[in-house]
Amino acid sequence: SGGITTCGAPAARWVLLCIASADCDALRTPRAQEVLSRLAQQPRAWVALTLDRPDGARVFDAVHARRYRFVVYRTPTYHPFVATAASRAPTLRTEEEGEVGVEGTLAVLQAIPPNSRQVLQLLVDHHRQWGREGIPLAELLRQTTQRLLALNHAALHQHLRECLDHKLVVQDRAAQGEAYRVLHLSTVVEALERLDA
């Protein structure tokens, strides 16, 4: 509250605090957010945060958000993720299509909120019933609204952001409009089953 101090004296230098995964469960608590936002409010402190989830920005309520001096950089993690996965083991991705394998898909699914996984499950169910043809945006929005998962297109797209970034889901544009489909069905299905096991 009185500024950052070192041994009782005011700090003479800038302080840079880097926090990875600020939207993780441990840092989503009101107490953690209070402490972080108070640190960000200090005049000689810079707080750099990384957010992993597509809904990560929702961590900050209006009071806490006002304390940060936000500068936002959107950096989809698909290419670094593939490079990391490729270096770990050949089972994480298949070479022919650059597909993130089951282990990589599982890592993505563990990082997204349950509601986003439910939206992905709707796409999987549609794919199983109707084949590779994508589900039209209007129909997907009707189903997600019915289940109270997303009430508009922006919220729906936010749920699918990580899946789109990691190429688990693709967005097609056709004469009848926008549609979404699962790109590698068997990989996504296996990852979802392992997640639920």
Side-chain angles (χ1 to χ4, degrees):
S1 57
I4 297 175
T5 61
T6 307
C7 299
R13 297 182 182 170
W14 285 90
V15 174
L16 173 60
L17 178 63
C18 298
I19 301 169
S21 303
D23 53 342
C24 70
D25 292 337
L27 295 178
R28 283 180 177 245
T29 65
R31 176 70 182 139
Q33 287 305 309
E34 178 69 19
V35 170
L36 291 178
S37 64
R38 290 277 181 202
L39 280 170
Q41 222 176 3
Q42 300 303 315
R44 297 188 68 80
W46 285 94
V47 178
L49 309 172
T50 65
L51 304 176
D52 297 331
R53 303 179 189 197
D55 67 340
R58 295 181 190 163
V59 166
F60 308 102
D61 61 33
V63 172
H64 292 131
R66 278 196 298 271
R67 294 177 183 162
Y68 290 93
R69 299 177 295 267
F70 278 115
V71 177
V72 178
Y73 292 94
R74 173 141 183 78
T75 54
T77 56
Y78 177 66
H79 295 297
F81 182 85
V82 169
T84 302
S87 69
R88 285 186 187 157
T91 57
L92 295 185
R93 69 189 281 273
T94 59
E95 295 300 324
E96 55 274 358
E97 295 179 272
E99 173 193 354
V100 176
V102 175
E103 294 297 327
T105 301
L106 188 58
V108 172
L109 296 182
Q110 287 169 332
I112 63 177
N115 284 355
S116 298
R117 287 197 294 272
Q118 287 183 47
V119 173
L120 179 62
Q121 185 65 58
L122 288 174
L123 290 172
V124 166
D125 294 344
H126 179 86
H127 193 132
R128 285 175 160 165
Q129 185 174 359
W130 301 101
R132 289 187 59 84
E133 184 180 321
I135 183 170
L137 172 61
E139 175 57 22
L140 183 58
L141 192 54
R142 185 189 68 76
Q143 290 187 29
T144 55
T145 302
Q146 208 172 42
R147 291 167 175 81
L148 300 177
L149 297 172
L151 301 179
N152 56 44
H153 182 208
L156 175 59
H157 196 75
Q158 190 71 15
H159 278 305
L160 292 171
R161 170 53 43 211
E162 284 293 312
C163 292
L164 289 163
D165 285 348
H166 292 289
K167 309 292 191 267
L168 304 182
V169 170
V170 291
Q171 187 178 7
D172 295 325
R173 297 188 187 281
Q176 66 272 24
E178 211 172 304
Y180 291 93
R181 65 184 170 87
V182 177
L183 192 56
H184 304 286
L185 183 66
S186 60
T187 301
V188 172
V189 167
E190 185 176 341
L192 282 167
E193 287 171 353
R194 284 176 56 180
L195 195 62
D196 292 337

